[in-house]
Amino acid sequence: MRLAFRTAAIATFSIAAMGLGTPLALAHGGDGDSGSTSSGGSYGASYDRGDGRDGVRAASYVNRDTGAPTENPDVDRGSSCADPDQRDRQRLSDPGATNRNVHNDACFLDRQGQKVNGPASFQSSGVGSISACPDPDGAAGPEYSRLSDTNGDGRNDLCFQSSYQMTGAAGDLEFHARFNNSTTAGTQYVVWCADADANGCRDERVKDDVTIKWTNA
């Protein structure tokens, strides 16, 4: 019940106070509030990736991590929500380590390209796992994240976040997760979606995805 209550509260959260415009309806599968001045609609089953008819669209990309030990030289330097590079080729991390993890960032964008907020999930399939699912506003804030293994195979495959990052640091107004693989070469598929019911992306239509090709060399 606690999760349902908090998700409902987030789903009606106004973004006006954050300077991003008028309130946007975020209820799963519903229509925009008739009293709102926003031209936006809602997340949920209103439209698919890339369809900007009304409301928002999802944009997910691989962050190159320029200057970091995990920098991915094959990822475009300008990779962003506005111009996403959605494929990465990365060597396996050392056994038991996360030294070559991949950073996946994402946004919800309205028709003007403004970033907007709402509960969301990263969901992984194939090889690899989710190695980090940061709390959007740190441990002391009201927002939260939850990392879980939904199929019981010992690898975390679902990262739910109640909000985008709000820490006052680089990366604010975007969603973040990191992915790792230190065992088996192959392909990792990562779907990111609006997820007001916090149960993953299979029942969602506002979503985007990236692909990570893990190699031995």
Tab-separated table of all heavy atoms in Angstrom, residues 6-68:
chain	number	residue	atom	x	y	z
A	6	ARG	N	2.612	6.297	-2.712
A	6	ARG	CA	3.667	7.195	-3.170
A	6	ARG	C	3.662	7.330	-4.675
A	6	ARG	O	3.875	8.410	-5.204
A	6	ARG	CB	5.033	6.698	-2.688
A	6	ARG	CG	5.181	6.737	-1.181
A	6	ARG	CD	6.611	6.528	-0.766
A	6	ARG	NE	7.425	7.692	-1.140
A	6	ARG	CZ	8.726	7.744	-0.899
A	6	ARG	NH1	9.350	6.742	-0.339
A	6	ARG	NH2	9.431	8.818	-1.255
A	7	THR	N	3.390	6.257	-5.394
A	7	THR	CA	3.324	6.339	-6.846
A	7	THR	C	2.183	7.238	-7.275
A	7	THR	O	2.311	8.031	-8.203
A	7	THR	CB	3.146	4.936	-7.444
A	7	THR	OG1	4.257	4.138	-7.040
A	7	THR	CG2	3.099	4.994	-8.958
A	8	ALA	N	1.033	7.124	-6.607
A	8	ALA	CA	-0.105	7.974	-6.938
A	8	ALA	C	0.231	9.433	-6.706
A	8	ALA	O	-0.140	10.317	-7.481
A	8	ALA	CB	-1.316	7.568	-6.105
A	9	ALA	N	0.944	9.709	-5.624
A	9	ALA	CA	1.322	11.081	-5.341
A	9	ALA	C	2.247	11.624	-6.412
A	9	ALA	O	2.117	12.762	-6.847
A	9	ALA	CB	1.998	11.156	-3.964
A	10	ILE	N	3.179	10.815	-6.848
A	10	ILE	CA	4.108	11.237	-7.896
A	10	ILE	C	3.369	11.460	-9.200
A	10	ILE	O	3.650	12.382	-9.951
A	10	ILE	CB	5.207	10.182	-8.086
A	10	ILE	CG1	6.065	10.118	-6.811
A	10	ILE	CG2	6.097	10.502	-9.276
A	10	ILE	CD1	6.843	8.850	-6.696
A	11	ALA	N	2.374	10.626	-9.485
A	11	ALA	CA	1.658	10.709	-10.749
A	11	ALA	C	0.896	12.003	-10.898
A	11	ALA	O	0.556	12.404	-11.996
A	11	ALA	CB	0.691	9.531	-10.880
A	12	THR	N	0.621	12.707	-9.801
A	12	THR	CA	-0.091	13.979	-9.883
A	12	THR	C	0.824	15.152	-9.574
A	12	THR	O	0.380	16.269	-9.408
A	12	THR	CB	-1.286	13.980	-8.908
A	12	THR	OG1	-0.805	13.727	-7.572
A	12	THR	CG2	-2.291	12.915	-9.286
A	13	PHE	N	2.121	14.889	-9.496
A	13	PHE	CA	3.105	15.911	-9.146
A	13	PHE	C	3.176	16.986	-10.207
A	13	PHE	O	3.322	16.710	-11.390
A	13	PHE	CB	4.469	15.241	-8.991
A	13	PHE	CG	5.611	16.204	-8.773
A	13	PHE	CD1	5.691	16.930	-7.599
A	13	PHE	CD2	6.584	16.363	-9.728
A	13	PHE	CE1	6.743	17.795	-7.401
A	13	PHE	CE2	7.642	17.226	-9.531
A	13	PHE	CZ	7.715	17.946	-8.358
A	14	SER	N	3.084	18.264	-9.800
A	14	SER	CA	3.165	19.375	-10.731
A	14	SER	C	4.617	19.734	-10.975
A	14	SER	O	5.404	19.848	-10.049
A	14	SER	CB	2.430	20.594	-10.159
A	14	SER	OG	2.711	21.733	-10.930
A	15	ILE	N	4.963	19.946	-12.240
A	15	ILE	CA	6.326	20.354	-12.563
A	15	ILE	C	6.446	21.869	-12.637
A	15	ILE	O	7.518	22.385	-12.886
A	15	ILE	CB	6.788	19.734	-13.888
A	15	ILE	CG1	5.892	20.190	-15.044
A	15	ILE	CG2	6.832	18.235	-13.791
A	15	ILE	CD1	6.427	19.786	-16.374
A	16	ALA	N	5.347	22.588	-12.380
A	16	ALA	CA	5.397	24.039	-12.465
A	16	ALA	C	6.399	24.618	-11.483
A	16	ALA	O	7.113	25.573	-11.779
A	16	ALA	CB	4.014	24.623	-12.204
A	17	ALA	N	6.477	24.040	-10.285
A	17	ALA	CA	7.361	24.565	-9.256
A	17	ALA	C	8.822	24.430	-9.638
A	17	ALA	O	9.688	25.105	-9.076
A	17	ALA	CB	7.104	23.850	-7.937
A	18	MET	N	9.135	23.575	-10.597
A	18	MET	CA	10.521	23.361	-11.004
A	18	MET	C	10.898	24.209	-12.202
A	18	MET	O	11.961	24.060	-12.780
A	18	MET	CB	10.743	21.883	-11.321
A	18	MET	CG	10.428	20.996	-10.150
A	18	MET	SD	10.951	19.323	-10.413
A	18	MET	CE	12.732	19.556	-10.348
A	19	GLY	N	9.967	25.085	-12.618
A	19	GLY	CA	10.276	25.987	-13.707
A	19	GLY	C	10.232	25.348	-15.071
A	19	GLY	O	10.795	25.867	-16.024
A	20	LEU	N	9.561	24.215	-15.207
A	20	LEU	CA	9.534	23.527	-16.500
A	20	LEU	C	8.198	23.671	-17.202
A	20	LEU	O	7.921	22.970	-18.149
A	20	LEU	CB	9.837	22.034	-16.289
A	20	LEU	CG	11.225	21.738	-15.753
A	20	LEU	CD1	11.399	20.239	-15.586
A	20	LEU	CD2	12.299	22.276	-16.670
A	21	GLY	N	7.350	24.570	-16.699
A	21	GLY	CA	6.080	24.777	-17.379
A	21	GLY	C	4.900	24.442	-16.500
A	21	GLY	O	5.009	24.287	-15.293
A	22	THR	N	3.754	24.302	-17.117
A	22	THR	CA	2.526	24.034	-16.389
A	22	THR	C	2.415	22.570	-16.045
A	22	THR	O	3.098	21.735	-16.614
A	22	THR	CB	1.315	24.449	-17.239
A	22	THR	OG1	1.431	23.821	-18.499
A	22	THR	CG2	1.260	25.951	-17.418
A	23	PRO	N	1.513	22.216	-15.091
A	23	PRO	CA	1.393	20.809	-14.686
A	23	PRO	C	1.070	19.902	-15.864
A	23	PRO	O	0.318	20.254	-16.748
A	23	PRO	CB	0.246	20.850	-13.670
A	23	PRO	CG	0.260	22.246	-13.137
A	23	PRO	CD	0.672	23.101	-14.295
A	24	LEU	N	1.676	18.726	-15.855
A	24	LEU	CA	1.457	17.743	-16.910
A	24	LEU	C	0.858	16.500	-16.290
A	24	LEU	O	1.374	15.984	-15.311
A	24	LEU	CB	2.790	17.401	-17.569
A	24	LEU	CG	2.755	16.494	-18.791
A	24	LEU	CD1	2.087	17.199	-19.953
A	24	LEU	CD2	4.172	16.101	-19.178
A	25	ALA	N	-0.246	16.011	-16.838
A	25	ALA	CA	-0.864	14.807	-16.287
A	25	ALA	C	0.035	13.612	-16.534
A	25	ALA	O	0.456	13.366	-17.646
A	25	ALA	CB	-2.221	14.580	-16.955
A	26	LEU	N	0.343	12.854	-15.477
A	26	LEU	CA	1.236	11.723	-15.600
A	26	LEU	C	0.546	10.417	-15.257
A	26	LEU	O	1.197	9.394	-15.153
A	26	LEU	CB	2.451	11.896	-14.673
A	26	LEU	CG	3.281	13.165	-14.880
A	26	LEU	CD1	4.495	13.135	-13.970
A	26	LEU	CD2	3.730	13.300	-16.317
A	27	ALA	N	-0.728	10.414	-15.049
A	27	ALA	CA	-1.422	9.178	-14.678
A	27	ALA	C	-1.342	8.172	-15.813
A	27	ALA	O	-1.520	8.514	-16.975
A	27	ALA	CB	-2.877	9.481	-14.351
A	28	HIS	N	-1.088	6.927	-15.472
A	28	HIS	CA	-0.894	5.878	-16.465
A	28	HIS	C	-2.131	5.685	-17.325
A	28	HIS	O	-3.206	5.392	-16.834
A	28	HIS	CB	-0.558	4.566	-15.761
A	28	HIS	CG	-0.502	3.399	-16.685
A	28	HIS	ND1	0.462	3.280	-17.656
A	28	HIS	CD2	-1.295	2.312	-16.806
A	28	HIS	CE1	0.270	2.158	-18.326
A	28	HIS	NE2	-0.784	1.563	-17.833
A	29	GLY	N	-1.969	5.883	-18.626
A	29	GLY	CA	-3.023	5.578	-19.577
A	29	GLY	C	-4.162	6.569	-19.626
A	29	GLY	O	-5.113	6.392	-20.367
A	30	GLY	N	-4.110	7.671	-18.862
A	30	GLY	CA	-5.232	8.595	-18.823
A	30	GLY	C	-5.046	9.741	-19.773
A	30	GLY	O	-4.089	9.832	-20.522
A	31	ASP	N	-6.000	10.685	-19.740
A	31	ASP	CA	-5.942	11.880	-20.558
A	31	ASP	C	-5.478	13.038	-19.705
A	31	ASP	O	-5.548	13.005	-18.484
A	31	ASP	CB	-7.316	12.212	-21.153
A	31	ASP	CG	-7.762	11.155	-22.137
A	31	ASP	OD1	-6.889	10.623	-22.860
A	31	ASP	OD2	-8.961	10.867	-22.166
A	32	GLY	N	-5.048	14.120	-20.357
A	32	GLY	CA	-4.648	15.303	-19.643
A	32	GLY	C	-5.815	15.871	-18.870
A	32	GLY	O	-6.977	15.794	-19.276
A	33	ASP	N	-5.544	16.481	-17.714
A	33	ASP	CA	-6.596	17.069	-16.895
A	33	ASP	C	-7.264	18.198	-17.644
A	33	ASP	O	-6.625	19.061	-18.228
A	33	ASP	CB	-5.972	17.575	-15.583
A	33	ASP	CG	-7.013	18.165	-14.661
A	33	ASP	OD1	-7.704	17.377	-14.002
A	33	ASP	OD2	-7.123	19.404	-14.630
A	34	SER	N	-8.587	18.235	-17.606
A	34	SER	CA	-9.318	19.210	-18.397
A	34	SER	C	-9.095	20.625	-17.908
A	34	SER	O	-9.316	21.583	-18.631
A	34	SER	CB	-10.825	18.886	-18.347
A	34	SER	OG	-11.289	18.897	-17.005
A	35	GLY	N	-8.637	20.770	-16.650
A	35	GLY	CA	-8.408	22.099	-16.138
A	35	GLY	C	-6.996	22.581	-16.340
A	35	GLY	O	-6.666	23.707	-15.978
A	36	SER	N	-6.152	21.781	-16.908
A	36	SER	CA	-4.755	22.156	-17.079
A	36	SER	C	-4.581	22.996	-18.328
A	36	SER	O	-5.258	22.813	-19.325
A	36	SER	CB	-3.885	20.901	-17.178
A	36	SER	OG	-2.573	21.251	-17.534
A	37	THR	N	-3.620	23.939	-18.258
A	37	THR	CA	-3.303	24.735	-19.440
A	37	THR	C	-2.221	24.104	-20.272
A	37	THR	O	-1.812	24.642	-21.281
A	37	THR	CB	-2.856	26.143	-19.011
A	37	THR	OG1	-1.717	26.018	-18.157
A	37	THR	CG2	-3.975	26.871	-18.285
A	38	SER	N	-1.742	22.953	-19.836
A	38	SER	CA	-0.681	22.287	-20.574
A	38	SER	C	-1.195	21.703	-21.868
A	38	SER	O	-2.313	21.194	-21.950
A	38	SER	CB	-0.080	21.169	-19.716
A	38	SER	OG	0.812	20.400	-20.482
A	39	SER	N	-0.360	21.750	-22.908
A	39	SER	CA	-0.717	21.092	-24.162
A	39	SER	C	-0.365	19.627	-24.122
A	39	SER	O	-0.647	18.885	-25.044
A	39	SER	CB	0.015	21.772	-25.328
A	39	SER	OG	1.414	21.646	-25.153
A	40	GLY	N	0.273	19.198	-23.023
A	40	GLY	CA	0.701	17.815	-22.902
A	40	GLY	C	-0.437	16.892	-22.559
A	40	GLY	O	-1.483	17.294	-22.061
A	41	GLY	N	-0.236	15.614	-22.802
A	41	GLY	CA	-1.212	14.599	-22.445
A	41	GLY	C	-0.723	13.809	-21.261
A	41	GLY	O	-0.444	14.359	-20.212
A	42	SER	N	-0.594	12.501	-21.419
A	42	SER	CA	-0.197	11.665	-20.296
A	42	SER	C	0.762	10.598	-20.752
A	42	SER	O	0.871	10.307	-21.931
A	42	SER	CB	-1.436	10.997	-19.694
A	42	SER	OG	-2.047	10.180	-20.663
A	43	TYR	N	1.454	9.980	-19.801
A	43	TYR	CA	2.206	8.783	-20.097
A	43	TYR	C	1.200	7.641	-20.233
A	43	TYR	O	0.011	7.827	-20.115
A	43	TYR	CB	3.177	8.455	-18.973
A	43	TYR	CG	4.221	9.496	-18.697
A	43	TYR	CD1	4.820	9.576	-17.456
A	43	TYR	CD2	4.623	10.394	-19.674
A	43	TYR	CE1	5.802	10.499	-17.178
A	43	TYR	CE2	5.592	11.331	-19.409
A	43	TYR	CZ	6.182	11.385	-18.158
A	43	TYR	OH	7.154	12.303	-17.904
A	44	GLY	N	1.710	6.433	-20.435
A	44	GLY	CA	0.815	5.292	-20.506
A	44	GLY	C	0.602	4.861	-21.934
A	44	GLY	O	1.511	4.892	-22.745
A	45	ALA	N	-0.605	4.471	-22.275
A	45	ALA	CA	-0.887	3.856	-23.560
A	45	ALA	C	-1.350	4.853	-24.611
A	45	ALA	O	-2.064	4.503	-25.532
A	45	ALA	CB	-1.939	2.760	-23.374
A	46	SER	N	-0.953	6.129	-24.492
A	46	SER	CA	-1.462	7.118	-25.429
A	46	SER	C	-0.726	7.114	-26.759
A	46	SER	O	-1.309	7.438	-27.774
A	46	SER	CB	-1.399	8.516	-24.807
A	46	SER	OG	-0.075	8.820	-24.417
A	47	TYR	N	0.550	6.770	-26.783
A	47	TYR	CA	1.290	6.732	-28.031
A	47	TYR	C	2.598	6.002	-27.825
A	47	TYR	O	3.023	5.751	-26.719
A	47	TYR	CB	1.538	8.141	-28.572
A	47	TYR	CG	2.294	9.029	-27.622
A	47	TYR	CD1	3.670	9.119	-27.679
A	47	TYR	CD2	1.608	9.770	-26.660
A	47	TYR	CE1	4.362	9.926	-26.798
A	47	TYR	CE2	2.300	10.575	-25.776
A	47	TYR	CZ	3.671	10.656	-25.845
A	47	TYR	OH	4.357	11.439	-24.976
A	48	ASP	N	3.258	5.682	-28.933
A	48	ASP	CA	4.488	4.915	-28.902
A	48	ASP	C	5.717	5.812	-28.988
A	48	ASP	O	5.606	7.012	-29.187
A	48	ASP	CB	4.513	3.921	-30.066
A	48	ASP	CG	3.500	2.814	-29.886
A	48	ASP	OD1	3.359	2.320	-28.771
A	48	ASP	OD2	2.866	2.466	-30.886
A	49	ARG	N	6.886	5.183	-28.888
A	49	ARG	CA	8.157	5.884	-29.013
A	49	ARG	C	8.186	6.724	-30.279
A	49	ARG	O	7.873	6.267	-31.358
A	49	ARG	CB	9.281	4.850	-29.032
A	49	ARG	CG	10.617	5.379	-29.532
A	49	ARG	CD	11.618	4.244	-29.614
A	49	ARG	NE	12.825	4.672	-30.287
A	49	ARG	CZ	13.846	3.897	-30.547
A	49	ARG	NH1	13.804	2.632	-30.195
A	49	ARG	NH2	14.903	4.352	-31.166
A	50	GLY	N	8.593	7.974	-30.116
A	50	GLY	CA	8.793	8.844	-31.261
A	50	GLY	C	7.538	9.536	-31.736
A	50	GLY	O	7.593	10.371	-32.614
A	51	ASP	N	6.375	9.238	-31.174
A	51	ASP	CA	5.120	9.853	-31.602
A	51	ASP	C	4.856	11.042	-30.697
A	51	ASP	O	4.536	10.873	-29.530
A	51	ASP	CB	3.987	8.822	-31.498
A	51	ASP	CG	2.675	9.349	-32.056
A	51	ASP	OD1	2.540	10.577	-32.171
A	51	ASP	OD2	1.804	8.535	-32.362
A	52	GLY	N	4.982	12.252	-31.213
A	52	GLY	CA	4.828	13.443	-30.399
A	52	GLY	C	3.485	14.122	-30.561
A	52	GLY	O	3.393	15.334	-30.485
A	53	ARG	N	2.435	13.375	-30.784
A	53	ARG	CA	1.131	13.979	-31.040
A	53	ARG	C	0.673	14.837	-29.877
A	53	ARG	O	0.155	15.924	-30.063
A	53	ARG	CB	0.086	12.884	-31.305
A	53	ARG	CG	0.280	12.170	-32.623
A	53	ARG	CD	-0.687	11.029	-32.770
A	53	ARG	NE	-0.472	10.013	-31.745
A	53	ARG	CZ	-1.205	8.916	-31.640
A	53	ARG	NH1	-2.203	8.713	-32.475
A	53	ARG	NH2	-0.946	8.024	-30.709
A	54	ASP	N	0.790	14.344	-28.666
A	54	ASP	CA	0.373	15.103	-27.493
A	54	ASP	C	1.112	14.546	-26.292
A	54	ASP	O	1.335	13.361	-26.178
A	54	ASP	CB	-1.142	15.006	-27.281
A	54	ASP	CG	-1.630	13.578	-27.082
A	54	ASP	OD1	-0.809	12.636	-27.152
A	54	ASP	OD2	-2.822	13.406	-26.856
A	55	GLY	N	1.546	15.398	-25.401
A	55	GLY	CA	2.228	14.911	-24.227
A	55	GLY	C	3.711	14.749	-24.446
A	55	GLY	O	4.355	15.598	-25.037
A	56	VAL	N	4.247	13.645	-23.959
A	56	VAL	CA	5.697	13.480	-23.931
A	56	VAL	C	6.132	12.243	-24.689
A	56	VAL	O	5.345	11.364	-24.994
A	56	VAL	CB	6.199	13.380	-22.479
A	56	VAL	CG1	5.876	14.650	-21.704
A	56	VAL	CG2	5.598	12.172	-21.788
A	57	ARG	N	7.444	12.188	-24.978
A	57	ARG	CA	8.044	11.003	-25.566
A	57	ARG	C	9.249	10.610	-24.727
A	57	ARG	O	9.844	11.439	-24.027
A	57	ARG	CB	8.456	11.237	-27.019
A	57	ARG	CG	9.536	12.269	-27.205
A	57	ARG	CD	9.863	12.467	-28.677
A	57	ARG	NE	10.873	13.498	-28.887
A	57	ARG	CZ	12.184	13.278	-28.849
A	57	ARG	NH1	12.644	12.059	-28.607
A	57	ARG	NH2	13.035	14.262	-29.055
A	58	ALA	N	9.621	9.356	-24.785
A	58	ALA	CA	10.779	8.848	-24.064
A	58	ALA	C	12.019	8.932	-24.944
A	58	ALA	O	11.944	8.722	-26.152
A	58	ALA	CB	10.531	7.404	-23.638
A	59	ALA	N	13.156	9.241	-24.333
A	59	ALA	CA	14.432	9.271	-25.043
A	59	ALA	C	15.494	8.682	-24.130
A	59	ALA	O	15.770	9.217	-23.055
A	59	ALA	CB	14.804	10.700	-25.433
A	60	SER	N	16.107	7.579	-24.548
A	60	SER	CA	17.129	6.896	-23.757
A	60	SER	C	18.417	6.839	-24.557
A	60	SER	O	18.391	6.630	-25.774
A	60	SER	CB	16.648	5.474	-23.412
A	60	SER	OG	17.577	4.790	-22.608
A	61	TYR	N	19.563	7.018	-23.878
A	61	TYR	CA	20.831	7.037	-24.607
A	61	TYR	C	21.963	6.502	-23.749
A	61	TYR	O	21.883	6.466	-22.515
A	61	TYR	CB	21.157	8.451	-25.084
A	61	TYR	CG	21.495	9.454	-23.996
A	61	TYR	CD1	22.821	9.763	-23.683
A	61	TYR	CD2	20.492	10.117	-23.301
A	61	TYR	CE1	23.141	10.698	-22.707
A	61	TYR	CE2	20.797	11.053	-22.310
A	61	TYR	CZ	22.118	11.336	-22.024
A	61	TYR	OH	22.422	12.260	-21.054
A	62	VAL	N	23.036	6.080	-24.417
A	62	VAL	CA	24.262	5.671	-23.734
A	62	VAL	C	25.117	6.911	-23.517
A	62	VAL	O	25.374	7.679	-24.444
A	62	VAL	CB	25.044	4.634	-24.556
A	62	VAL	CG1	26.326	4.245	-23.830
A	62	VAL	CG2	24.192	3.404	-24.831
A	63	ASN	N	25.552	7.113	-22.269
A	63	ASN	CA	26.447	8.215	-21.941
A	63	ASN	C	27.884	7.769	-22.172
A	63	ASN	O	28.315	6.742	-21.660
A	63	ASN	CB	26.238	8.611	-20.471
A	63	ASN	CG	26.953	9.886	-20.096
A	63	ASN	OD1	28.075	10.127	-20.513
A	63	ASN	ND2	26.298	10.709	-19.293
A	64	ARG	N	28.628	8.541	-22.920
A	64	ARG	CA	30.010	8.184	-23.259
A	64	ARG	C	30.920	8.144	-22.021
A	64	ARG	O	31.942	7.464	-22.011
A	64	ARG	CB	30.554	9.186	-24.280
A	64	ARG	CG	31.981	8.906	-24.746
A	64	ARG	CD	32.453	10.022	-25.673
A	64	ARG	NE	33.870	9.897	-25.995
A	64	ARG	CZ	34.338	9.430	-27.156
A	64	ARG	NH1	33.499	9.042	-28.089
A	64	ARG	NH2	35.640	9.386	-27.370
A	65	ASP	N	30.554	8.869	-20.955
A	65	ASP	CA	31.384	8.956	-19.743
A	65	ASP	C	32.761	9.534	-20.061
A	65	ASP	O	33.800	9.032	-19.600
A	65	ASP	CB	31.547	7.588	-19.071
A	65	ASP	CG	30.307	7.178	-18.277
A	65	ASP	OD1	29.401	8.013	-18.123
A	65	ASP	OD2	30.260	6.039	-17.814
A	66	THR	N	32.781	10.608	-20.802
A	66	THR	CA	34.045	11.227	-21.214
A	66	THR	C	34.918	11.569	-20.013
A	66	THR	O	34.462	12.196	-19.061
A	66	THR	CB	33.771	12.503	-22.034
A	66	THR	OG1	32.994	12.153	-23.179
A	66	THR	CG2	35.072	13.157	-22.484
A	67	GLY	N	36.156	11.126	-20.053
A	67	GLY	CA	37.114	11.412	-19.002
A	67	GLY	C	37.081	10.470	-17.825
A	67	GLY	O	37.954	10.530	-16.954
A	68	ALA	N	36.094	9.578	-17.782
A	68	ALA	CA	35.988	8.624	-16.685
A	68	ALA	C	36.687	7.317	-17.052
A	68	ALA	O	36.904	7.025	-18.228
A	68	ALA	CB	34.516	8.353	-16.375
